[in-house]
Amino acid sequence: MTTTRRPGRPKDLVKGDAILDAGWALFIEHGVEAVSIEAIAARAGVSRQMIYRNFADKHALFEQAAARKMLAIETVEIDRPGGREDTLEGALRTFGIAIMSYLASDTAVAFYNVLAEELRRRPNIAQRFYEIGPGQMIADLASILAGAGDRLVIDDHVKAAEALFGLWQGGSNFAVSLGVDAKVTKQAIVERVDYGVLLFMRAFSRLNL
């Protein structure tokens, strides 16, 4: 009886990591469609046969590489500024600066640009990305807001979290993705987050009622 091995992490972990690293680097540089299995093999220092023994095609390789990258995003440690984390405003400021700094990083921008090319072809990747990326971020922020019921008047914490994130982001995502004043946009993250927290507190604070 012949069995078909399910696609997944290669048995040879060292070569598997080399293949995934090489594939992801080439996908970022050229886009998925422009990259050949031969190019990935050459970059990884393995044979074409080694790649095909572990992945059905380059799209399966992309899916595995993207899953690995999303896991890295899920567990990423971001340097967080100190000073005011013991207050609600401080907690929101810490969260905002951390997430906006990551979203503006070269690593994140490259990941999103490459991922977007494949989303329409592979909705399962899009769903997974949303769940552990934007979806989890909004859920975490909503949890912070829900724990501040004595300070805030909010009827829907998820919607409020989305509104606060919108204040932080503004048009910065377009500027960074398009490379328009990207450096200036990154330098203004702290100022933009502080202003967003200020506006949010004015809108939802019990003291303003």
Side-chain angles (χ1 to χ4, degrees):
M1 177 178 178
T2 301
T3 59
T4 301
R5 187 172 58 80
R6 296 175 62 185
R9 190 170 180 78
K11 292 181 179 179
D12 187 325
L13 298 182
V14 175
K15 290 183 178 178
D17 284 339
I19 293 170
L20 291 171
D21 289 342
W24 188 250
L26 288 169
F27 293 147
I28 287 179
E29 292 171 13
H30 307 290
V32 177
E33 291 306 309
V35 175
S36 67
I37 289 293
E38 289 78 10
I40 297 172
R43 177 73 68 95
V46 301
S47 67
R48 293 173 68 256
Q49 290 73 21
M50 171 62 71
I51 294 179
Y52 281 122
R53 279 201 295 269
N54 295 290
F55 303 97
D57 53 31
K58 68 178 178 182
H59 295 287
L61 196 160
F62 170 83
E63 186 166 344
Q64 184 72 14
R68 188 178 64 159
K69 179 59 66 174
M70 286 188 283
L71 180 61
I73 290 174
E74 188 177 20
T75 58
V76 68
E77 291 292 335
I78 305 173
D79 290 335
R80 298 182 175 220
R84 296 186 294 173
E85 289 82 350
D86 56 337
T87 67
L88 173 60
E89 291 88 344
L92 294 176
R93 182 177 189 269
T94 293
F95 187 97
I97 293 174
I99 195 63
M100 293 307 300
S101 295
Y102 176 74
L103 293 177
S105 69
D106 293 341
T107 298
V109 172
F111 175 62
Y112 301 145
N113 288 342
V114 173
L115 188 65
E117 182 182 343
E118 287 292 292
L119 292 185
R120 288 186 294 273
R121 301 186 186 95
R122 297 179 178 274
N124 59 314
I125 297 180
Q127 180 64 35
R128 179 61 178 151
F129 167 71
Y130 183 81
E131 289 173 355
I132 69 174
Q136 187 60 54
M137 178 200 68
I138 293 298
D140 290 343
L141 184 53
S143 179
I144 295 175
L145 300 178
D150 59 330
R151 298 266 332 257
L152 305 174
V153 179
I154 298 175
D155 57 357
D156 188 319
H157 294 97
V158 172
K159 289 182 179 178
E162 291 174 344
L164 178 53
F165 178 68
L167 289 173
W168 287 339
Q169 190 171 51
S172 64
N173 58 318
F174 299 113
V176 171
S177 295
L178 297 173
V180 178
D181 293 330
K183 183 177 180 180
V184 174
T185 299
K186 293 177 182 179
Q187 292 173 340
I189 286 174
V190 172
E191 179 181 359
R192 193 166 58 250
V193 167
D194 282 344
Y195 188 62
V197 171
L198 176 64
L199 292 180
F200 185 85
M201 294 302 297
R202 284 179 180 175
F204 290 99
S205 175
R206 287 185 180 276
L207 298 179
N208 295 331
L209 297 181

